[in-house]
Amino acid sequence: MESTLVLVKPDGVQRGLIGIVINRFERVGLKVTAMKMVLPTRELAEKHYPLEKEWYEALWKKTKEGYESKGIPFKETPIGIGTRVRNGLIEALTSGPVVAVVVEGNSAISIVRKIVGATNPEKADPGSIRGMFTTDSYDLADRNKRAVRNIAHASDSPETAKKEIATWFTKDEINRYKRADEDIVN
Ligand code: CDP
Ligand code: MG
């Protein structure tokens, strides 16, 4: 069984989407093992979004594709956009309370990413959380000088899941219990 970290970001909390976001994971049979509402400090937000080369290079590539698919030229460098987006993300994450959740189950990391949907809500599948609840896009966020408001965060690999869970929760905040449908789901 895998565990992954989900954050209902401040935009998701402020739009009243906490319940529906968590319900999307519960109803496929994934188990909530930890949950809390936190107003992140700058230190916590910086720790959650470290400026790593692998991260900003992937972010540069998808942002470039998003711009070019709309016929808008894109000239930023990977480190340039990485630094800029990270600053915007830290500002957004510290702007209001976040709900942090640990979700456990079969292939939890990839299944949760699938349910959350693509980073760019404009291109996210309509049934995903990001596709269902917003129309935001890279260029709109940039024009308004803010991070893309895409409702939720989800860990993207086993390594980041482990690190992110440890960033938001202590070991004794993670609970163990049996769901009534566990033997049928798994
Ligand atoms: O959240 P996800 O893992 O899908 O994407 P990411 O590449 O790790 O980027 C983290 C967050 O940065 C995104 O969820 C967006 O909120 C934000 N972002 C942005 O504001 N502008 C971009 N051009 C790319 C990402
Ligand atoms: Mg990410």
Side-chain angles (χ1 to χ4, degrees):
M1 288 294 139
E2 280 181 353
S3 286
T4 189
L5 180 88
V6 172
L7 299 177
V8 185
K9 296 182 182 179
D11 53 305
V13 171
Q14 286 164 31
R15 289 186 54 198
L17 300 174
I18 301 167
I20 203 151
V21 168
I22 296 170
N23 180 249
R24 290 293 303 267
F25 310 124
E26 280 194 300
R27 71 191 199 188
V28 294
L30 295 170
K31 177 159 51 176
V32 171
T33 59
M35 183 160 82
K36 62 180 162 191
M37 183 179 264
V38 203
L39 177 61
T41 58
R42 193 172 178 88
E43 193 186 6
L44 179 61
E46 284 172 352
K47 192 170 176 199
H48 178 73
Y49 284 119
L51 187 62
E52 281 165 353
K53 194 162 188 237
E54 202 179 308
W55 172 73
Y56 64 71
E57 283 186 339
L59 182 141
W60 172 82
K61 189 167 179 279
K62 62 188 174 185
T63 307
K64 189 171 190 293
E65 284 165 6
Y67 266 84
E68 289 174 353
S69 75
K70 293 173 88 174
I72 312 171
F74 180 79
K75 295 197 187 73
E76 273 181 287
T77 60
I79 181 71
I81 189 167
T83 310
R84 178 175 68 75
V85 165
R86 180 171 183 260
N87 289 338
L89 277 170
I90 290 163
E91 196 178 311
L93 213 62
T94 55
S95 72
V98 161
V99 173
V101 188
V102 178
V103 175
E104 181 192 283
N106 179 40
S107 296
I109 298 164
S110 61
I111 302 244
V112 165
R113 290 283 292 186
K114 179 184 68 168
I115 294 169
V116 167
T119 308
N120 184 4
E122 187 182 34
K123 293 280 160 63
D125 289 342
S128 66
I129 290 168
R130 288 166 171 177
M132 194 175 275
F133 295 117
T134 181
T135 61
D136 205 5
S137 62
Y138 296 132
D139 55 301
L140 180 64
D142 288 346
R143 278 203 303 281
N144 291 334
K145 298 193 190 329
R146 56 165 176 77
V148 171
R149 293 184 184 134
N150 55 12
I151 321 288
H153 162 86
S155 308
D156 63 8
S157 71
E159 298 70 43
T160 52
K162 195 163 176 257
K163 247 172 52 188
E164 290 176 358
I165 291 168
T167 298
W168 292 84
F169 293 94
T170 61
K171 273 215 169 68
D172 58 10
E173 286 176 318
I174 317 280
N175 296 277
R176 286 171 61 93
Y177 66 99
K178 195 169 155 74
R179 256 180 68 152
D181 58 357
E182 215 166 286
D183 293 335
I184 300 167
V185 169
N186 296 316

